[in-house]
Amino acid sequence: MTELKTITIIKPDDWHVHVRDGKILEKVIKYTAQFYKRAIIMPNLEDPITNCVKSLAYRNRILNSIKFNSTFQPLMTCYLTPFTTSKELEYGFYKKIFVAAKLYLKSSTTNSENGIKNINDINHILQCMEDISMPLLIHGEDNDKNIDIYDRESEFIKNILEPLRKKFSKLKIILEHITTKDAVEYVKKHDEQYLSATITPHHLMLNRNDMFLKGIQPHLYCLPILKKRTHQQALRQAVSNGDKHFFLGSDTAPHLNKNKIHCFGRPGIFNAPSSLLCYITVFEELNALKHFQAFCSENGPNFYNMPINTETVTLVKKPFKILNKINIGKKKIIPFLSGKTLHWSMKT
Ligand code: DOR
Ligand code: ZN
């Protein structure tokens, strides 16, 4: 019998996850904890994580939800509101309660009602973050109602990010879950110490045609929305070159099925059960496996000035069937690629 192909890499980190709270948290956290050593936890709960006290309590709830022996570390972030104070941020950052702060423009995505209406309202906060080298994580979409949904990212770069970077050129920024050629090009132009970007598995694997294949597919609706194929190709090209500006951030975002299949269906793709296996699938397709470890396990910690993990994981070229659903009491969550088979699995 021929040996199965295997790849061993430094244990990866996921630099962008939504794990929610309560019963959903209890069910979903194990999927992130099985693949990743650390994960940046998004603060957009219904009651957002806006201060140190809430963050410490949420971190405990996350750790208490992990039922197996695990060394997983949640890395917490502060949700910026018009009422955030520099004192709170600075204290949280120095005490290692927060590793970063997250910028949502008001009403741009799930639970962003408490976000920022005008970026100039938080100049004092951005100045403080630049001074203490605290990373700013950005949901980069200009949600002005006159801007086409497919142009929100490129308009954000022009209208908001570029002026912001001119004012705060030493602020460490991560443009989260980029989806366009415009973002790839913009990020690449700048020093990777100050500007980098995360890329999701779904934006690497899919484009907007997939969202309308055989009818509208609510489980593929996320924000930023899937873009056209040329943008998908630009993202694939970006990761296949091993560029240090780009790293893994799955944006796994579970929603109950009833809230996805709804007349106001919510944005978000729950990819945690397969995210790492999706990434390796893409890197293999691109003949770029030599850059896989840097994308998963090195570029992220280097940007955040954190140590590179010492544990390893081994992936095996063996079929892996993604579960159909997870039950949350009588309700359910449908994962990304539900019921489909990937060619890679994790060695246990
Ligand atoms: O698709 C998304 N889902 N994009 C976001 O920005 C938020 C996330 C969520 O929290 O559901
Ligand atoms: Zn997100």
Side-chain angles (χ1 to χ4, degrees):
M1 212 177 86
T2 51
E3 280 277 300
L4 292 172
K5 181 170 172 182
T6 66
I7 289 191
T8 298
I9 57 164
I10 295 168
K11 193 162 189 183
D13 305 301
D14 189 339
W15 299 96
H16 187 128
V17 305
H18 301 264
V19 293
R20 314 300 188 207
D21 211 344
K23 290 200 174 80
I24 297 185
L25 168 63
E26 278 171 25
K27 283 295 182 90
V28 302
I29 190 67
K30 68 174 182 191
Y31 298 103
T32 294
Q34 73 182 350
F35 287 134
Y36 302 103
K37 172 78 181 180
R38 298 170 288 202
I40 289 270
I41 308 294
M42 287 296 131
N44 64 330
L45 301 184
E46 276 168 39
D47 177 16
I49 304 301
T50 49
N51 61 43
C52 295
V53 171
K54 283 183 179 179
S55 181
L56 287 168
Y58 185 34
R59 183 169 180 277
N60 279 337
R61 295 199 296 280
I62 295 171
L63 288 171
N64 290 335
S65 303
I66 304 175
K67 301 290 183 239
F68 60 97
N69 196 359
S70 157
T71 59
F72 174 72
Q73 292 169 13
L75 305 174
M76 309 308 288
T77 57
C78 181
Y79 182 118
L80 296 178
T81 78
F83 310 106
T84 306
T85 64
S86 304
K87 198 167 152 217
E88 187 76 16
L89 271 190
E90 212 171 324
Y91 177 83
F93 189 59
Y94 280 133
K95 292 279 177 195
K96 301 195 187 314
I97 298 168
F98 296 129
V99 304
K102 176 77 191 239
L103 169 69
Y104 290 107
L105 290 185
K106 188 175 168 61
S107 311
S108 56
T109 186
T110 309
N111 299 336
S112 58
E113 293 315 306
N114 295 290
I116 305 299
K117 204 160 178 191
N118 182 341
I119 190 77
N120 291 316
D121 295 345
I122 58 161
N123 278 338
H124 59 295
I125 293 293
L126 301 176
Q127 185 62 61
C128 161
M129 292 178 68
E130 182 179 48
D131 293 343
I132 63 174
S133 297
M134 181 176 191
L136 175 70
L137 315 184
I138 298 185
H139 182 107
E141 290 195 285
D142 187 340
N143 60 333
D144 182 304
K145 69 176 183 350
N146 296 318
I147 294 176
D148 189 283
I149 186 168
Y150 291 99
D151 298 332
R152 282 181 188 171
E153 186 172 275
S154 51
E155 291 293 315
F156 181 90
I157 292 172
K158 258 193 292 178
N159 307 335
I160 299 170
L161 183 58
E162 177 57 11
L164 185 155
R165 288 202 61 271
K166 284 233 164 79
K167 262 192 230 143
F168 304 102
S169 63
K170 296 257 151 67
L171 177 59
K172 284 175 87 67
I173 294 176
I174 300 174
L175 193 53
E176 298 283 15
H177 42 55
I178 58 166
T179 60
T180 56
K181 188 166 186 274
D182 313 60
V184 168
E185 284 169 2
Y186 186 79
V187 170
K188 273 172 97 163
K189 268 200 318 224
H190 295 91
D191 184 342
E192 77 234 13
Q193 203 191 331
Y194 296 114
L195 182 61
S196 62
T198 52
I199 304 186
T200 76
H202 41 279
H203 290 101
L204 289 169
M205 292 175 99
L206 305 175
N207 60 62
R208 68 191 190 186
N209 276 354
D210 296 292
M211 217 172 18
F212 302 104
L213 205 66
K214 301 188 192 159
I216 194 158
Q217 298 206 20
H219 293 293
L220 298 183
Y221 170 51
C222 61
L223 288 175
I225 201 157
L226 293 171
K227 303 295 190 299
K228 60 184 190 183
R229 189 157 175 272
T230 45
H231 292 297
Q232 180 198 1
Q233 282 170 329
L235 299 176
R236 290 171 72 94
Q237 178 84 32
V239 301
S240 71
N241 291 338
D243 191 309
K244 291 186 170 40
H245 288 92
F246 305 106
F247 48 86
L248 191 159
S250 70
D251 200 13
T252 178
H255 287 282
L256 293 176
N257 190 52
K258 72 178 176 68
N259 295 329
K260 294 288 294 173
I261 313 296
H262 189 278
C263 48
F264 295 104
R266 302 207 182 146
I269 292 182
F270 173 53
N271 62 30
S274 66
S275 55
L276 189 62
L277 309 174
C278 291
Y279 283 117
I280 192 168
T281 304
V282 170
F283 274 76
E284 187 184 41
E285 283 166 6
L286 293 168
N287 206 2
L289 286 172
K290 64 174 182 293
H291 298 304
F292 186 56
Q293 173 170 286
F295 178 80
C296 298
S297 319
E298 294 170 0
N299 298 350
N302 285 343
F303 183 83
Y304 277 90
N305 286 324
M306 286 185 194
I308 288 177
N309 297 324
T310 49
E311 295 160 46
T312 57
V313 291
T314 298
L315 302 177
V316 194
K317 189 129 190 217
K318 194 173 103 187
F320 172 81
K321 184 170 181 288
I322 298 170
L323 73 176
N324 291 319
K325 58 173 181 156
I326 59 174
N327 294 316
I328 312 279
K330 290 197 172 128
K331 305 183 179 115
K332 61 185 175 185
I333 294 175
I334 307 294
F336 181 50
L337 304 178
S338 157
K340 301 239 165 58
T341 299
L342 292 172
H343 297 305
W344 285 90
S345 25
M346 170 113 137
K347 192 168 175 181
T348 44

